[in-house]
Amino acid sequence: LTKINNNTLSSAGIATGDVLQVVSTIRATEIATSSQSYVTTNCTASITPSASSSKVLVMITGSGREDAAGNTAKYTIFRDSTALGSNTANGFSEQSSDADLIKAPYSMIFLDSPSSTSAVAYTLFMKNQNGSGSCKACHNNTNTTVTLMEIAG
């Protein structure tokens, strides 16, 4: 809890690991790409951390599809224009199959340290690894949810 003392806010009572705020958005408009480079899905949420020491827990879930044998759909998270994770080329989630079509969920969780008190946007990006056919997010206009939790640092 934030303490108000003489019209100023203090962090007394806020412990490391406390959830300070939660933001969540839903997008349900299908998007497809055959690009071999990551493209935005416009599934995004923004949060303004209250302290530069805060962390942001990013959770993205939804349903995707790839539609060509040997194709691989890859999904990842961007903070503004920066790909997150240690292996940015391969992303956080993928769908691949020897069949002509596969529909599968994607689910990503990442604890980020944006080191900022300015608004930051987290967005689902995707690419078609092999370049044949296409891959999709929000398949058949199903929901993709982007949830952000600010965690006290």
Side-chain angles (χ1 to χ4, degrees):
L1 298 173
T2 302
K3 180 180 178 181
I4 301 175
N5 188 8
N6 295 328
N7 293 326
T8 59
L9 296 176
S10 72
S11 60
I14 297 176
T16 299
D18 283 355
V19 175
L20 304 179
Q21 63 175 310
V22 177
V23 176
S24 188
T25 62
I26 296 175
R27 181 174 170 87
T29 303
E30 184 177 270
I31 184 169
T33 188
S34 58
S35 174
Q36 290 182 281
S37 299
Y38 280 112
V39 297
T40 185
T41 64
N42 295 315
C43 301
T44 189
S46 296
I47 194 167
T48 303
S50 58
S52 59
S53 60
S54 292
K55 299 192 181 309
V56 177
L57 183 63
V58 183
M59 298 170 282
I60 300 177
T61 60
S63 180
R65 171 182 157 172
E66 63 85 3
D67 64 3
N71 194 25
T72 301
K74 293 192 180 270
Y75 301 89
T76 198
I77 304 168
F78 274 63
R79 178 196 340 109
D80 297 325
S81 61
T82 302
L84 300 179
S86 60
N87 188 339
T88 56
N90 286 325
F92 286 90
S93 182
E94 72 175 43
Q95 301 165 347
S96 97
S97 173
D98 292 332
D100 284 338
L101 168 69
I102 184 169
K103 302 174 202 175
Y106 43 79
S107 180
M108 292 156 270
I109 299 174
F110 184 75
L111 185 62
D112 188 34
S113 299
S115 301
S116 176
T117 56
S118 298
V120 288
Y122 293 89
T123 305
L124 173 68
F125 274 63
M126 67 178 177
K127 72 177 178 179
N128 185 355
Q129 182 72 26
N130 303 47
S132 62
S134 68
C135 60
K136 298 180 179 182
C138 303
H139 178 58
N140 283 341
N141 299 317
T142 56
N143 292 331
T144 288
T145 303
V146 181
T147 302
L148 310 174
M149 297 174 70
E150 181 185 2
I151 310 295

